[in-house]
Structure formats: structure tokens, C-alpha cells
Amino acid sequence: MFRCILVCLLVLAVSCTSKIKKEIPHLQKQGTATQLIVDGKPFLILGGELENSSSSSLEYMKPFWPGIAKTNLNTVLAAISWEQFEPTEGKFDFTLVDGLIKDAREHNLRLILLWFGSWKNGNSRYAADWVKADQKRFPKVLNKNGKTLEILSVFGEETCKADAKAFAALMKHVREIDSEKQTVLMMQVQNEVGVHCDSRDRSVLANEAFVKQVPKELMDYLQNHKETLLPEFLKVWEATGFKTSGTWEEIFGKSPAADEIFMAWNYARYINRVAEAGKTEYPIPMFVNAWLVQPQDKTPGDYPSGGPVVHVHDIWRAGGPQIDILSPDVHLRNSDSILISYSRGRNPIFIPESYSGKQGAANAYLALGQFGSIGYSPFGIEAKKNENIPLSKAYAVLSQLAPLIAEHQGKGTIAATLLKPGYSNPKIKLGNYTIKVELRKTRGSKALPEIGYGIFIAVAPNEFIVAGNDIEVTFAPNASDSIAGLTMVKEGKFINSKWVPERRLNGDEVQLRYDLDIAAMERQSGAGLCFLPEKYSIQRVKLYNYK
Ligand code: DGJ
């Protein structure tokens, strides 16, 4: 049976790809990074996500496109809802998809479409009306108090089939109208899934599944990957002595953690089927996004239970091989630790939702430079139609640097950092140097900026390209007996990937301190790079060593 399904899928994939004339957007490893390849080269997404209701009307969106384009974005993330796409069962309405693709092209923008199908923020308000209305065919979640929630149950077989059918129709259409120009780069399948207000679904179907044996596929995956499972998950399994067969509670304990693992597996299996149906038509990269555990949350259900949060990543990997990326929606300020946790297990990094202010600009540098991210995208971009906001200035720099960043991602020759008062100053080892980054000091004042950030690329043994904001940067040779002096610092631009120098920086622009004797004891020359908050400059520095 399994072989037969596999053969059918293969035949379908071949017949669908034979209708595609050129290479389509796909993921490719480069060292430790995973990159998105578009038109044969890495494409860094400098994105922005629209508010939830904006893409429901092409008319509404019209005045926003020019402003979005001026924000230096290259990609817009826009929702396509099941309710508008399939208003009557089996009848698909392509008006919005066609219009969004046309309007994005007119403004020289690419798109990532967000499939608001069975779930959006855990609940099911974007499901088609005929799905919502037929509770018998499309069952909903029942919680511990016996209340039915407006959340489609992941155990509804008919629901999964209907969602997959609609998504496949969407992907078939995208292939037909877009596989040549490739405006659509990736798909987000559902949005922030998980059960609210309880650790699991307690409907009849869910209860039946919960007392069954944990599927062999999952147990095989866990045993085969035991060496690389993430510690947060491993400790739950370890607590029951790494049992290899039994019910969910026997293997993962009688606790909300077992409920969450059970939900994560079932969401992953469901969404995997939807993604697979879509990829059979048009196999571009597909990802899911997570509503993260918030500081005040105590138990699954406080945050949507079963969504792709880090402690169940292994379950999602096991259940969702068609899902290419498990993405965090970064609506918390500790973006660095979130990205560290999401980049484990070789999970590619892409941030579909986050901030757009100075923190957003810093997040973009950090994600692309430090975590080999495919891209970055703040939420609600159409409301910020101003080319002077920090994000658009940061994107202007990042789009100049994009080819260089892409060349270096994953190779250990690029780094980025984000600094706040009270953070310990990071020391970055790159090439032959250790780079020290500090928040910029204003002479005669103790006040520090609220945030500073920078990206560092080692382009030659003694040479770096650095871009940053509100930071000071100094270099120390890794050889412990010498000091790094500045041979030359130039500020400039990249135009069509070519470095075009402007000012040669020296004097006040590089002198960070005059206590040269103390500096020498700290193996510093007293000079370094300074990045002002309003400048968004790119500097190229050549170093020499003295003793
Ligand atoms: C996260 C969701 O994924 C978005 O669709 C939107 O609802 C934002 N939250 C609102 O902040």
C-alpha cells in the first residue's frame, strides 16, 4: 500500500515538474546555513508581512503598494484564506491570488503566501464557511470543561482531506501562472497552530487516539535520532526510561508534556499531508510558524499546545518531513536566544513575523549575519510606509550587502551581533582577529543607546566589511603578543555588488579613546570603527599588526 502511494506521488511529481520549464525556488545548504535559491542564486528575503485582513481586498491594498516598495523590501508575506479561496466546496476563486501576484510584480516585489487554512493563531476562523458550519463532517476541539472551541480538530479526517485539496488547487494555480516569473518564493502552511486553553483536544476522536499505542513511525524516528534529539525533549522521554512502546502517557508520562507531544505529532502529520498535496503540484519550500512560549506561560494551552515550539521540534521533524522550516514568530525582545534555540538540529532559519523599529533592524542584521537566515520579515508592514524608518534604512544596507552576505553565510566568515545596556559585550572570532563590539559612547555622557547592532564579514586575512548602528568596534589579533592598527578605513556603498568607496575615515571618526597607554595594555590601539545611529554606514577596514 505504502509503495503504491509512493509510486503514485512520484508519477504525479514527475508529471507536475515536467510542466515547469525552469528551476523553481528551492533550499540549498551552504556550510551550516540553508539558503533559498531563486533564479540560480541565493536570495535573501528582506520581507514584511501584511496585517491579517489586508490581502482580503485588492482594492484595499492598492494605495499601500508604493509605500511598501519604498521601504526597501524585496518580498511581501500575504495571507490567502480558505474562506475566500473556496467559498463553495470544489469551486476555487483565484481572484486574490492573481491580483496579489500582479500587484507585487508591478512593484518589483516577490511574495510568500500564507495559507490560512484549517488554523490561524490556533483557531479556525479562516476555514471555509461550509467547513465551519458542518461540525459532524469537520469536528472541532473539545476542552477539559466539555466546551467546544472554534478550533478544527486535527483528528477530522475529512477536514484534512478538504484542506489538502484546497491547498493543492492553490499550488496548481500558482504553478500555472507563476512558475516562469517566480514571484511566489515560499508558502507558509497554516498559521501558529495549537490548542488554546487546554494541553490537548479531548473530543471523542482525540481520546480514542490518545489511548492507542504511539505510532511506530514516531518511535522509530526517535530511536534512530536519539543522539541528536534536543535536550528539552530528551529529558521528557528519559523520565520514563526511554520506553520504546506503549501509549502516549506510558512513553512520555502522565502530564501536560505528553499531551503536547501527542498534539504536536498529530498537527505535524496533518500539515505534512497538506504540504505534500501542495508540493505534488508545485514543490517550492514550505514552512510553519510558531506562537512562542511567553514569559508568563506555565503550561501548554497557555500558549497553543502542539505548535512547533522548540521542545517539540523533534516531533515535528518526525511527523512533517515535507515541512522545510520550523519558524519562530519573534514578538519577544530576546531574539538572539530564540534564534540560537531555533537553529539547532540544522533547522533552517526564517523569521516570518517580528518587529520593524530599531529592534527589527537589529533582528534583521542578526538573523542574516549570525544565523545564516533565509530572511527576515516584520509584521504589519503596510502600516509603516515610510522610507525613513529604521527598518527601511537597515534594509537599504542589507540589500547592498546581500550578495556578500549570501557568499559568506554558513562558512564561518560572517557574524552579527545585537547589544543592549547590561548585555555582556560579545567578542567575535573571525579570521585572524577577535572583534570587540560595544554600545557607542557619547563624549561627556554616561548614557548608552538602548540598542546597537552590527554585521561583520571577513573578506581577506586582514580586511573586514562592517555595517552597524550605535556601536564601536575594535579588533585584536588572535596572536596574543600583538596589537591591531588601522591601515585604512573607508566608508562606501555596494553598487551592483561592486564596492564604491566614498570617505576615507580617520581622526575623530576612528579615534575611540586617548588613554593610549591603558589601551596598549589591553592590546588596543585606541582606534576602531564607530557607527552613528543616523548614518547606517558601511565601512571597509584594513588592519596591520604591531608589537
Ligand atoms: C501573530 C499572528 O501569527 C499574526 O497573524 C497576527 O495575528 C499577529 N500575531 C498579531 O500581533
Side-chain angles (χ1 to χ4, degrees), residues 49-52 114 116 120-121 126 188 191-192 289-291 329 331 353 379:
E49 180 165 329
L50 301 180
E51 286 173 353
N52 295 160
L114 319 174
F116 287 4
K120 150 79 176 80
N121 294 22
Y126 282 86
Q188 181 185 292
N191 189 84
E192 293 189 347
N289 60 330
W291 171 321
D329 284 349
H331 295 290
E353 289 184 35
F379 184 77

Side-chain angles (χ1 to χ4, degrees), residues 364-526:
Y365 274 54
L366 186 74
L368 295 171
Q370 185 68 18
F371 293 95
S373 180
I374 286 166
Y376 178 75
S377 160
F379 184 77
I381 195 67
E382 71 277 44
K384 307 181 175 71
K385 49 184 186 304
N386 175 354
E387 57 257 58
N388 289 320
I389 59 171
L391 183 90
S392 70
K393 295 202 168 173
Y395 274 5
V397 170
L398 291 171
S399 57
Q400 290 177 56
L401 292 177
L404 198 64
I405 296 173
E407 185 190 327
H408 287 267
Q409 277 185 328
K411 292 181 177 168
T413 50
I414 184 168
T417 192
L418 177 163
L419 268 180
K420 293 181 183 177
Y423 270 38
S424 63
N425 293 337
K427 286 193 176 159
I428 299 167
K429 271 209 163 155
L430 219 51
N432 299 328
Y433 293 88
T434 300
I435 305 173
K436 187 173 175 198
V437 192
E438 292 172 280
L439 285 169
R440 191 181 61 88
K441 296 179 263 318
T442 312
R443 273 186 205 137
S445 159
K446 283 204 169 126
L448 287 174
E450 66 186 45
I451 191 166
Y453 54 90
I455 188 165
F456 314 86
I457 309 170
V459 289
N462 293 312
E463 201 172 336
F464 294 87
I465 299 281
V466 184
N469 199 277
D470 252 341
I471 52 168
E472 292 175 356
V473 180
T474 50
F475 299 83
N478 291 338
S480 60
D481 57 345
S482 44
I483 296 177
L486 306 177
T487 306
M488 185 185 68
V489 183
K490 283 202 172 176
E491 186 179 52
K493 286 197 172 70
F494 280 90
I495 300 177
N496 299 327
S497 304
K498 271 199 72 177
W499 172 244
V500 181
E502 289 168 352
R503 285 193 300 170
R504 182 167 177 140
L505 302 180
N506 209 335
D508 292 347
E509 278 64 55
V510 300
Q511 195 67 42
L512 302 179
R513 57 200 282 194
Y514 281 96
D515 53 348
L516 301 186
D517 50 348
I518 299 174
M521 284 192 277
E522 294 168 5
R523 291 208 303 125
Q524 291 289 331
S525 70

Side-chain angles (χ1 to χ4, degrees), residues 322-376:
Q322 298 291 334
I323 302 162
D324 300 296
I325 311 172
L326 307 173
S327 281
D329 284 349
V330 182
H331 295 290
L332 293 168
R333 301 273 160 187
N334 57 332
S335 41
D336 36 7
S337 54
I338 294 167
L339 291 177
I340 288 172
S341 65
Y342 266 75
S343 54
R344 293 172 305 163
R346 293 175 78 76
N347 182 43
I349 291 293
F350 175 63
I351 304 178
E353 289 184 35
S354 191
Y355 301 106
S356 61
K358 199 166 172 184
Q359 169 89 41
N363 285 353
Y365 274 54
L366 186 74
L368 295 171
Q370 185 68 18
F371 293 95
S373 180
I374 286 166
Y376 178 75

